[in-house]
Amino acid sequence: MDINIDSPECWPALPFERWGDTYATLHMWTQIIGKVRLALTPRVNHWWNVALYASARGLTTSAIPYGGRAFEIQFDFIDHKLLLETNDGSIKALPLRPMSVAEFYEAFMGMLRAAEINVKIWKMPVEVPDPIRFDQDRIHASYDPEPVRKFWRILASSSQVLSEFRSGFIGKCSPVHFFWGSFDLAVTRFSGRRAPERPGADSVTLEAYSHECSSLGFWPGNKTQAPAFYSYTAPEPPGFRDSRVRPAAAFHDAQLGEFILPYEDVRRSGSPSGSLLDFCQSTYEAGANLGNWDREALERPAGA
């Protein structure tokens, strides 16, 4: 069955109140998987080696090296299970169902040990208020399959559009990837120039913003902020926040320091993919023009 990228099933509604508890639990589960990737993969600039990727069924680590072997971990949000696959043909599965973060952590680490994969991770979550160690977190224990499936459909559709946007740039550019700390999908373009060092920034932030960049992506929101697409340029050039961008629903949020396009406005537009591409292109152009990027050298000529 053919499904158009602009069809409603590709951009479902996902109000926070419908899945807030599941969201919080899934966030912790992805952090556990992401920290295994962090522990075992060679470090790449801007921490690109730690991210997950939207797959045809959910989220994946891609192949992780382990000595002379390799393995991959995938959240399957169609059949709702966590898969551990190794290059020697082993496949292990953990059903995704309501269970605490502590229970998930113990079951997952047991899967790794059964596959003869030994890894230690820092058990404390990051980028969340009031973090609880994974092996002690019995507060977050929700899993509702339907909103998780909808969340994945949004990630898959957004990833497809962001990949199309990415294809027009021939300069340094990140993959379209999912950061489990901030729980957002992102793609980042770079001017090729180093950025001024951020005073007082931690080592992670210093590396992430060591070079001038234009970043955009999707974030599923929280109790006070609705799901939205975002875009920012770092360092922010003078006049950026006053730029006119598209579509009309987009606006600059002074508190966040980013342009915001509410997800609801995208999904309700006549062409969600077109609206998102407009947002990507217009916010990038605003930052690149005001930041004096060498766009002729960085962008693929039209029609090429």
Side-chain angles (χ1 to χ4, degrees), residues 51-64:
L52 307 179
Y53 306 95
S55 73
R57 301 186 68 91
L59 287 169
T60 180
T61 59
S62 73
I64 297 175

Side-chain angles (χ1 to χ4, degrees), residues 232-259:
Y232 61 87
T233 300
E236 181 182 310
F240 176 70
R241 61 186 57 198
D242 299 317
S243 300
R244 298 185 64 180
V245 301
R246 304 184 302 274
F251 63 94
H252 188 271
D253 187 303
Q255 183 176 359
L256 296 175
E258 303 172 350
F259 278 100

Side-chain angles (χ1 to χ4, degrees), residues 266-279:
V266 171
R267 66 176 293 268
R268 292 179 177 178
S269 68
S271 172
S273 64
S275 294
L276 180 51
L277 278 173
D278 259 0
F279 181 68

